[in-house]
Amino acid sequence: MIDKRMELYNAKEFGNIREVIKNAVKEHPDNNAFILKETNGKDVEYKNITYTKFDKQIDCLGTALVSKGLKGKRIAVIGKNCYEWIVSYLAVVNGTGIVVPLDKGLPEKEIETSLIRSESEAIIFEDDYIDMIKNIKSNNQTKVTKFICMNKQDEFENIYKLIDEGEKLLQQGNKEFIESEINNEEMSILLFTSGTTSAAKAVMLSHKNIASNIYSMTKCEDIRSTDTNIAFLPFHHTFGSTGILMFLSRGATNVFCDGLRHIQKNLNEYHVSMFVCVPLLIESIYKKVWQEIEKTGQTKKVKFGMKLTKFLLIFGIDIRRKIFKQIIDKLGGKLRYVISGASGLDGEVATGFRNFGIEVVQGYGLTETSPTLIAETAKSYKAGSTGLPIPNVEIKINDPNEQGIGEILAKGPNVMLGYYENEEATNEVLVDGWFHIGDLGYKDKGGFIFITGRQKNVIVLKNGKNIYPEELETLVNQLPYVAESMVYGKEKNDDLVVSVKVVYDKEYAKNNWQDKTQEDIEKLIWEDIKKINQTMPNYKHIKNLIATDEEMIKTTTAKIKRFEEMKNL
């Protein structure tokens, strides 16, 4: 099912991930799949990995893994985003066994629990985790018998040694990996949702789930073989892994970030043209752009330019990137397209970037849906909406109230097989072929989907009024000094008081509030909160404030862990 209102691009549909990669290699053999940076003191060297070489290394590693007796086994992968991570992931899933991506940010005990719960028999790990791996190995509580390091070192077997072994096996005619049959509809990926591992659900995904989502997203978004993507999102999350596979399917070049502090440097270094990120990152970049504009006294000039280019667009004249070349140059000079997801993006930020000539769109989905369900395109977007259902996905609003708000349900080939060894939880969310998301929203007459909040986050007052925290957070986050915020209900006299925790930006405070005490800062923020209250009905008024410069507890995709935060309030 394809929504004709979307801007759609040509894309090939494949049944599994291996077909996706093989087609990319066939169409773009000499393109650089990756550019890797190797530093030795002050010396920096860049290494290009073509699609042909990338594909060969996957086949060699997969062949070696199968020769080690790992055919059909569960193999965990853990580490920061790097080339070796994606080679390992594909070498497992494309013919060896079931891949279990692990969150590198979890404590050691929880990683061990993940290995036990997933029944993994091997683990491929980055060398930053050697000490942890040694402990897990010595504890002998898991089924893991093969410990393979992503990096060259002597203590453990490493993937580069295995790649060499696999190459020799292939030369000898070993085709067990490259000719292995893939069941597109069986579990091939097992990953844990956010939360402590003992409570986290383990999601079962198939090749069909991921391949269908890659197809749908490449139909929607303008990804080109000439693009350079910087991989921000952690690969252990479906938003990160499906995202990198989406870029690979188009023959794009992929690079890695040196860390959040080095974003601007990396954008310039690699001339990045597009990337996928979370709202917190893109909103932070936007705030810094405007801080620089204001600092250099260019505010009036930029605002006039935005009005002028907007007017000219009515007549089909687009000079945005020429007018705002100085701003774009600060972001690498080539940045043209950003995809945001994981939570709602501030509409003012998206509009602001579009005014500069950089398209910003957002997608919506979950781990359980591989992940995308709804997306904007460069020409199909609406303020406040997350977009339209992507091709192959159906969306409906269940049991809507008088405002048309109800739980969002989804159906499509990207919906998970279920939760591993948890039939009860599976049956709660998968009913008559529809996946019950748990988010609330509504659909307008044009078919655009609007997310109003998470069902379990809704603040229900004693008078029956419902307040969606995300709505208020969007307004609070627009304040120039707010790094992040969380709206919640504070218990008082058998009712709830609408409250907010605000994390203000340390750099902003340093530059603007040097002479202010914490009490002064809270008063300043409270005055702005009162102005926001004036724009809202009385029952939505924020009546309690906590202000701090200490960031909140978050998942690896930068979502605030609300319930953990609320325990500390």
Side-chain angles (χ1 to χ4, degrees), residues 69 107 131 141 146 170 248 340 354 390 414 459 479 503 506 535:
D131 290 340
Q141 297 297 306
K146 297 282 192 301
L170 283 168
L248 287 167
S340 176
R354 287 187 192 116
I390 63 173
N414 56 320
I459 301 167
L479 298 172
V503 176
K506 290 181 182 179
T535 68

Side-chain angles (χ1 to χ4, degrees), residues 381-423:
Y381 58 86
K382 190 176 286 189
S385 165
T386 53
L388 295 162
I390 63 173
N392 289 343
V393 169
E394 294 178 66
I395 296 289
K396 73 176 181 179
I397 307 300
N398 191 44
D399 195 20
N401 62 16
E402 65 278 1
Q403 297 171 297
I405 297 172
E407 185 184 9
I408 300 168
L409 308 188
K411 182 187 284 188
N414 56 320
V415 175
M416 68 170 182
L417 303 173
Y419 295 118
Y420 180 63
E421 293 186 336
N422 196 336
E423 189 176 351

